[in-house]
Amino acid sequence: MAFELKNVVPWGRNLDEYAKMFNLNQSDLKKSIISFGDGPASFNKEMTELKRNVVSIDPIYQFTRDELLHRFNKTRDLVIEQTKRNIDHYNWTYIKSVHELEKARMTAMMDFSNDFELGKTQGRYICQELPNRLDFDNLSFDLGLSSHFLIMYSQLGLDFHILSLIEMLRLCKEIRIFPILDLNSKKSEILDDLIKEFQTDFIVDILKVGYEFQKGGNEMLVIKHNNKAAI
Ligand SMILES: C[S@@+](CC[C@H](N)C(=O)[O-])C[C@H]1O[C@@H](n2cnc3c(N)ncnc32)[C@H](O)[C@@H]1O
C-alpha cells in the first residue's frame, strides 16, 4: 500500500528532548546514530550543527518541503485540540503549557524543514521504511533510536515490530526505543512479547529516563548485541 501524506500526523521533537528521552550522554552524542521514524524532528539538524553524525529514516522524506509544511499546518490545530482534550494524560513540568508545546513543536518542525533539502542531498534524511531491509551494511551504526514510533504504534502489530527490530539490530550495536507506552498512555500490549522474543540472543533492559511528558512514560527499551547474537 502506498504511503500517503494525508495519513500522517507530523509532530517533531528537538535535540534536548531526544537527549532526555534516550539518556544520551556526551559519549553517546559522539556515536554514529541512526534514527528510525525520525519524521520532522529537529534532532538531525541540531546534531549536524554540532558536527555530530545522524542519519534519519522516514517514509515522509519522499515528499517535498512544501508538501510537508502544508501538512504540518493542516494537522497542527487537530493535534493541539486532541492534547487539550486529554490534558490530564500529560505532565506539564518540562513543557509548561499547551501553548509552549505548540511553539516547541512548530519550532522543531520549521528547523527540520529548513534543513531538509540540504540534509537530503547530504544523505542525512533518507526515504526508507521499516521493516524493509535498509541500504546499509551490518553494524554500520553504534546506536539506533526510535522516538514515538515503534512500540507506541502497537497497532502495527507484533510481526511488524519483530521484523523492524531485527533490521535495526542488523544495522546497530545498540537500539533504544522511547516511550514504551501506547498512544493512550497505557503500557504497550506488545512490549512483553518483544522482550521475550529478543532476550535469549540479546541483552534487553528497560531503563528509566529523565523525560516524562506522557504520564508514566519515563522508560525506554534498550537492546544490545551480546557475543552470542547472530545477525
Ligand atoms: C509521531 S512521529 C515521531 C517523529 C519523531 N521521531 C519525533 O519523536 O519527533 C512518527 C514517525 O514515524 C514515521 N513512520 C511511520 N511508519 C514508518 C515506517 N514503516 N518506517 C519508518 N518510519 C515510519 C512517520 O512517518 C512519522 O514521521
Side-chain angles (χ1 to χ4, degrees):
M1 196 173 55
F3 189 91
E4 295 192 52
L5 192 53
K6 68 175 165 52
N7 297 330
V8 179
V9 181
W11 211 222
R13 293 163 188 83
N14 59 35
L15 168 58
D16 190 54
E17 291 178 285
Y18 269 59
K20 289 183 166 64
M21 293 185 295
F22 295 112
N23 282 351
L24 299 175
N25 58 29
Q26 283 308 314
S27 137
D28 290 328
L29 291 168
K30 288 182 189 141
K31 292 177 175 169
S32 57
I33 298 178
I34 178 166
S35 186
F36 300 89
D38 211 32
S42 60
F43 177 62
N44 189 318
K45 181 250 181 194
E46 292 180 77
M47 286 286 278
T48 303
E49 280 175 354
L50 296 171
K51 311 259 182 286
R52 307 294 195 218
N53 253 315
V54 176
V55 169
S56 301
I57 299 293
D58 201 298
I60 66 165
Y61 301 153
Q62 67 192 272
F63 302 106
T64 64
R65 176 180 184 270
D66 286 349
E67 285 169 330
L68 290 172
L69 278 173
H70 181 69
R71 188 70 192 150
F72 300 163
N73 286 319
K74 229 172 155 192
T75 52
R76 167 188 189 160
D77 291 346
L78 177 84
V79 182
I80 289 300
E81 214 27 68
Q82 276 175 357
T83 308
K84 283 183 180 157
R85 257 189 278 130
N86 295 301
I87 200 129
D88 293 340
H89 288 191
Y90 303 100
N91 276 316
W92 298 98
T93 43
Y94 173 73
I95 296 167
K96 301 215 163 12
S97 63
V98 177
H99 176 66
E100 200 179 292
L101 174 73
E102 180 174 9
K103 221 170 113 199
R105 294 287 175 267
M106 291 315 287
T107 302
M109 293 197 288
M110 286 315 294
D111 282 351
F112 156 79
S113 54
N114 291 333
D115 181 49
F116 180 52
E117 295 301 340
L118 175 66
K120 260 205 304 195
T121 63
Q122 294 177 336
R124 290 187 287 110
Y125 296 110
I126 302 181
C127 174
Q128 291 193 2
E129 65 184 285
L130 289 171
N132 294 349
R133 189 179 170 92
L134 307 182
D135 221 356
F136 294 101
D137 293 335
N138 292 355
L139 300 180
S140 295
F141 299 90
D142 297 318
L143 188 57
L145 306 177
S146 160
S147 155
H148 295 85
F149 164 43
L150 291 169
I151 296 185
M152 177 170 236
Y153 288 9
S154 55
Q155 69 275 17
L156 291 169
L158 184 60
D159 288 350
F160 175 93
H161 279 80
I162 291 174
L163 293 174
S164 295
L165 266 58
I166 288 173
E167 177 58 5
M168 289 163 76
L169 286 160
R170 182 184 72 78
L171 302 179
C172 308
K173 294 178 190 155
E174 173 183 344
I175 60 173
R176 301 183 191 178
I177 300 176
F178 177 91
I180 55 175
L181 302 181
D182 65 18
L183 287 164
N184 296 314
S185 300
K186 301 265 181 304
K187 178 184 162 185
S188 177
E189 62 185 16
I190 57 171
L191 181 64
D192 291 341
D193 287 334
L194 282 179
I195 292 173
K196 254 189 237 147
E197 182 71 27
F198 288 92
Q199 68 187 1
T200 310
D201 292 328
F202 295 87
I203 300 165
V204 179
D205 280 309
I206 290 184
L207 299 181
K208 280 240 164 350
V209 303
Y211 183 91
E212 185 179 350
F213 183 49
Q214 262 182 311
K215 281 186 184 161
N218 62 347
E219 291 176 313
M220 66 173 166
L221 177 69
V222 180
I223 308 183
K224 289 181 195 170
H225 283 266
N226 65 28
N227 294 335
K228 289 189 289 168
I231 46 172

